[in-house]
Amino acid sequence: MTPSPNAPTLALACELIARPSVTPEDAGCLDLIASRLAPLGFVLERIDTGGVCNLWARRGKARPVLCFAGHTDVVPTGPLEAWQSPPFEPTVRDGMLYGRGAADMKSSLAAFVTAIETFVAAHPDHQGSIALLLTSDEEGAATHGTVKVVEALAARGERLDWCVVGEPTSVVTLGDMIKNGRRGSLSGTLRVKGIQGHVAYPHLARNPVHQLAPALAELAAIGWDQGDEFFPPTTWQVSNIHAGTGATNIIPGHCEVQFNFRFAPTSSAESLKTRTHEVLDRHGLEYELVWQLSGKPFITGRGRLVNAISQAIRATTGVDTELSTTGGTSDGRFIADICAEVVECGPVNATIHKVNECIAVDALEALSSIYRRTLENLLLAPAG
């Protein structure tokens, strides 16, 4: 697509979509973005690790620091024949931009860049600093991406004041919802030991399914907490359960269950672990339980950042945005370790990870305007 001076965000989004950056590949996206930031006075630092590409870019040395964060990697395309146009050939059709990553989240990356370009051109001597934290490892394992950049920044004492993550948070129209927090995610793999035997001689065996069933029923019935203003109550769900050999005449020797907590800050990972073990122990199970904490909960209350973005959305779209903590995890869970206020704000998420992923063309420049107005609300001195 030929770049248009009237649609710079669309043009850049198309350039990014054309790069097949299936996780954890970057396919040159960070180099493209860096080439736009360097002339603006950004100091560029690659923090690549474990085959993952990471970029930390900062303009200015003073506080406060407003950071835009996101990822260049996309999920696999799925069956190519199901796409109406090739997923890595950005195509505008009926007012929509189609391509893998159009909504999640190359349009947000393009809007970050054009918003910053416009802001810096108008306000070269703005207060504080502008930063970008970008990775190619968000859609995959997320072990060598944002978390590693955050660790590097923390080790040298760099902190952020505000962070805007470009995740697609809108539901029906641009700006109708932003995420001011996310629930934590704690998973467990439970293996209950029994004694294998013939179903006709149960007195010579010990059925782990029978032993486990009452404990599962109790865990499923527990009210773990009541949630709070921003979060629903913590939930516990079984995702997988397996026992037996497939034969109908064998009592299984073990039963394995995988489960997950999605939890609010009103509960801690340690308290959930403790209460789970208490139930299992009370039922007299012989078991092994391996835990994995993939995300801590975080929350940003109503304050400078939420107000700045809400005002920017209203000024651009006329929409009064809704605060939400729904959905899965995001890289905001890592950034919250070095930043007091983290908010996610991006395009409509109806087609993310789907075949024929797309975004409304008219949302692209509007999203850039939201980010630019957020910069103005936070980094320009008050009048007078």
Side-chain angles (χ1 to χ4, degrees):
M1 174 172 288
T2 302
S4 167
N6 297 320
T9 309
L10 172 62
L12 181 53
C14 289
E15 288 189 75
L16 291 168
I17 292 169
R19 287 162 167 75
S21 55
V22 176
T23 189
E25 296 298 324
D26 169 69
C29 291
L30 290 181
D31 288 340
L32 173 60
I33 292 171
S35 71
R36 300 282 288 260
L37 297 177
L40 303 178
F42 278 81
V43 175
L44 308 174
E45 180 181 0
R46 290 292 290 265
I47 308 178
D48 297 352
T49 178
V52 170
C53 298
N54 300 308
L55 174 66
W56 170 247
R58 179 166 173 170
R59 183 183 196 271
K61 298 180 180 179
R63 300 277 297 271
V65 182
L66 171 56
C67 176
F68 293 99
H71 58 90
T72 61
D73 59 321
V74 298
V75 296
T77 63
L80 294 177
E81 64 273 14
W83 286 75
Q84 295 180 358
S85 52
F88 296 113
E89 292 182 15
T91 303
V92 174
R93 186 171 59 250
D94 300 324
M96 306 295 290
L97 170 63
Y98 288 84
R100 176 56 86 219
D104 189 13
M105 56 181 294
K106 291 185 174 180
S107 292
S108 295
L109 301 184
F112 287 163
V113 172
T114 57
I116 292 169
E117 288 174 334
T118 304
F119 176 78
V120 169
H123 311 285
D125 299 320
H126 61 81
Q127 294 179 341
S129 301
I130 307 170
L132 285 94
L133 194 169
L134 306 177
T135 183
S136 69
D137 183 36
E138 195 273 348
E139 297 289 8
T143 55
H144 292 95
T146 298
V147 63
K148 294 299 183 183
V149 179
V150 168
E151 289 173 357
L153 296 177
R156 62 198 195 200
E158 285 194 65
R159 293 192 61 84
L160 313 176
D161 294 280
W162 308 295
C163 183
V164 178
V165 185
E167 288 292 336
T169 58
S170 302
V171 180
V172 177
T173 187
L174 179 65
D176 61 1
M177 180 179 288
I178 62 176
K179 302 295 177 74
N180 65 319
R182 294 278 189 166
R183 294 174 295 175
S185 179
L186 174 66
S187 297
T189 299
L190 171 65
R191 184 182 176 93
V192 177
K193 299 177 183 179
I195 298 176
Q196 184 174 303
H198 196 294
V199 295
Y201 301 94
H203 60 290
L204 300 177
R206 187 174 77 240
N207 194 321
V209 178
H210 292 187
Q211 288 191 299
L212 177 58
L216 287 184
E218 182 174 340
L219 289 167
I222 290 175
W224 299 92
D225 56 44
Q226 299 302 310
D228 59 22
E229 177 189 3
F230 295 111
F231 289 91
T234 292
T235 61
W236 180 88
Q237 290 291 316
V238 170
S239 57
N240 291 279
I241 184 166
H242 176 77
T245 64
T248 60
N249 61 351
I250 299 176
I251 294 172
H254 70 272
C255 179
E256 184 171 288
V257 174
Q258 293 176 315
F259 60 83
N260 176 265
F261 285 101
R262 292 301 166 108
F263 64 102
T266 44
S267 290
S268 69
E270 289 307 313
S271 70
L272 297 174
K273 291 179 185 179
T274 298
R275 293 177 69 184
T276 301
H277 281 286
E278 288 173 351
V279 171
L280 299 175
D281 293 342
R282 187 167 59 254
H283 284 268
L285 303 178
E286 183 181 357
Y287 70 91
E288 298 172 351
L289 178 50
V290 178
W291 294 98
Q292 180 181 8
L293 178 65
S294 57
K296 296 180 292 184
F298 69 93
I299 186 66
T300 296
R302 293 178 175 85
R304 288 287 304 279
L305 181 57
V306 167
N307 290 341
I309 292 181
S310 299
Q311 291 167 10
I313 291 171
R314 190 179 306 111
T316 302
T317 68
V319 171
D320 288 322
T321 194
E322 175 186 352
L323 302 183
S324 173
T325 61
T326 58
T329 59
S330 76
D331 277 359
R333 68 191 190 274
F334 304 127
I335 298 168
D337 285 342
I338 60 168
C339 184
E341 298 183 45
V342 180
V343 167
E344 300 170 28
C345 174
V348 171
N349 57 25
T351 64
I352 61 173
H353 293 209
K354 292 183 178 181
V355 168
N356 296 315
E357 179 180 352
C358 59
I359 180 176
V361 170
D362 60 9
L364 288 157
E365 305 309 326
L367 183 59
S368 178
S369 177
I370 289 170
Y371 294 151
R372 175 183 56 79
R373 284 187 160 109
T374 301
L375 282 160
E376 292 170 352
N377 291 340
L378 293 170
L379 295 185
L380 295 185

